[in-house]
Amino acid sequence: MTALPADLSTEPDPGTGAGTTGGPSEQQETFDSLSPITGDVVGTHPVHDEAAVRSAVARAREEAAWWGGLTFERRAELLSTWKSVITRRVAQLADLMHRETGKPHGDALLEAALAIDHLAWAASNAAKTLRRRRMPSGLLMANQAATLEYKPLGVVGVIGPWNYPVFTPMGSIGYALAAGNAVVFKPSEYTPGVGEWLARTFSEAVGRPVLQVVTGLGDTGAALCRAGVDKVAFTGSTATGKRVMAACAETLTPVVIEAGGKDAVIVDVDADLEAAAEAVLWGACANAGQTCTGVERVYVHERVYDRFLGELTAQARLLRADETAGAQLGPITMPKQLDVIRGHITDALGRGGRALVGGADAVGERFVQPTVLVDVPEDSEAVQEETFGPTVTVTKVRDMDEAIARTNGTRYGLGSTVFSKGQGPEIAERIRSGMTAINGVISFAAIPSLPFGGVGDSGFGRIHGADGLKEFTYAKAVARQRFKPVMPLTSFRRTEKHEQQLAAMITMLHGRTPTLPKADKPGR
Ligand code: NDP
């Protein structure tokens, strides 16, 4: 980390500066974001310490009072204005994403486009999902009018990763804002410029810093967990997720954890093999494999295994990662990940695995070439741990029962994919993962109405969809007495006669044994 004067910052479009806690002053500790392709400095950013984070949260509390007090319609209008600003400047945003992560421009554009679509959905569906509605009060409480609404929590702290620096945090930011919260966002130290860009454009569109950004390293994120926010939405590795939870536990701050994955693809005997191979290759290698829902394992029915492998390897050999402008694969953003990828490949090869494409020497100084591994033992790192590189293991299975058992055989449970013409939904039903794509890959992430999140070591809680809006609210239940109850059940005026009437009523309502279809009868 270097302390550079503020005027050396190369971050483009300084804009108003509103929405961030300010650029670095002469004395302030700073850090650089670097291009993973060239190593050049992309921007210099302040390291916000505990005091700066607390002051951002205090400011956010004031903004939350204003923002949370607006109608859903007004918030939707303001979020739409922001959405339009992002859309009109999407080329600028994509350029910054490219410079900070190294990902190809086209990938950055796709990511931003999907985030914009989610923001639009969250803004226009918040009212329908969260506003006050009448609820049935039931026969026993027929004298009550029941209502339910979902109210904003206040200030949400969002901690994001670098691999999808717009799409991923926006899954929390957009939905938390639409639900009426103010947000303090701590982007990854690799993509602080993207975070600042988002906050600046928000302030420009809305005129108030309801979304603020604090930059820095892990300590800044840890400070945000302890700064008195009403919820932390964390996306990142499982290991850091545990630290975030531990910090939040000190103040009983609720958390949503979107952590890593080890997603599998199942290829059934009747699958369209060419389409399956294309999807596996894209799912495994897009964004240089640095995708939480990236494909890392494939289980293929033994009768189509050879043909599937033929398709996959032929397509994989045409794909290259390099620094040229037209490259489809960019660099590995985080240098220390290269050792993890190399380690997984070496371990697999050392334990009897074979590389049909790529291999140990596919891992260069900044780039990793596509690697297809076969015959890899099921308990090896390449099958059990998140590799986060453009590598994939392919394993032959006897039948779909074995494919499902192996798919469910890691501690993760984020996404999954099934290629099958005849029994996609049946197989999907038996996979323990938060999301499954059938005859496509990662498609669930781009459908704003579907919740996104995992089980097991992939975390808990949901972003996106109605569940994603509710994640940033608390349910407020109100029961209003419309007229005096016929029986004073919740009063010391209750008599034995009332209790007998209650017993008769409850027996009438719930005492009958339902007639079960034959197959469901107990003991069969
Ligand atoms: P990390 O866990 O390393 O970091 C995530 C964020 O947490 C960063 O902003 C980081 O800051 C911050 N952080 C680090 N230490 C702490 C701490 N003690 N307290 C609070 N915050 C802290 O993940 P990566 O950035 O490397 O992201 C890759 C991981 O994210 C992969 O495992 C991937 O699977 C997962 N991911 C999950 C997704 C999902 O939706 N399930 C989506 C995208 C990615 P800093 O960078 O400054 O250290």
Side-chain angles (χ1 to χ4, degrees), residues 43-68:
T44 300
H45 304 271
V47 173
H48 288 122
D49 60 12
E50 205 179 315
V53 173
R54 280 191 180 276
S55 102
V57 171
R59 174 106 192 251
R61 186 115 357 248
E62 290 165 25
E63 294 303 317
W66 172 72
W67 182 251

Side-chain angles (χ1 to χ4, degrees), residues 109-262:
L109 187 67
L110 172 65
E111 179 186 337
L114 294 177
I116 290 167
D117 204 37
H118 271 284
L119 182 57
W121 192 92
S124 58
N125 284 276
K128 193 170 72 187
T129 313
L130 307 175
R131 78 164 22 137
R132 191 178 310 143
R133 86 256 355 247
R134 281 218 185 89
M135 302 300 283
S137 44
L139 263 185
L140 276 181
M141 289 290 163
N143 67 319
Q144 301 282 331
T147 58
L148 169 64
E149 70 177 307
Y150 293 89
K151 292 169 83 73
L153 293 166
V155 180
V156 173
V158 174
I159 300 176
W162 46 266
N163 57 341
Y164 289 92
V166 173
F167 179 76
T168 296
M170 282 288 272
S172 298
I173 294 169
Y175 287 76
L177 288 170
N181 301 281
V183 171
V184 178
F185 172 36
K186 151 67 179 79
S188 162
E189 68 196 69
Y190 294 96
T191 54
V194 171
E196 287 178 350
W197 191 97
L198 291 173
R200 230 175 12 245
T201 50
F202 180 93
S203 285
E204 210 181 302
V206 174
R208 293 184 65 143
V210 183
L211 167 63
Q212 295 175 83
V213 160
V214 288
T215 54
L217 314 187
D219 284 350
T220 306
L224 184 56
C225 297
R226 296 189 167 93
V229 294
D230 300 296
K231 185 153 195 168
V232 169
F234 169 83
T235 310
S237 62
T238 306
T240 311
K242 289 178 186 174
R243 285 199 284 278
V244 165
M245 252 184 107
C248 288
E250 290 169 18
T251 47
L252 212 64
T253 304
V255 286
V256 41
I257 303 281
E258 299 290 349
K262 190 71 189 173

Side-chain angles (χ1 to χ4, degrees), residues 235-303:
T235 310
S237 62
T238 306
T240 311
K242 289 178 186 174
R243 285 199 284 278
V244 165
M245 252 184 107
C248 288
E250 290 169 18
T251 47
L252 212 64
T253 304
V255 286
V256 41
I257 303 281
E258 299 290 349
K262 190 71 189 173
D263 289 8
V265 172
I266 292 178
V267 182
D268 199 0
V269 68
D270 64 347
D272 175 340
L273 298 182
E274 198 185 326
E278 188 181 338
V280 163
L281 188 62
W282 190 83
C285 296
N287 208 33
Q290 306 162 113
T291 303
C292 51
T293 50
V295 174
E296 302 216 347
R297 307 175 283 153
V298 190
Y299 297 107
V300 190
H301 194 289
E302 59 186 6
R303 277 171 39 208

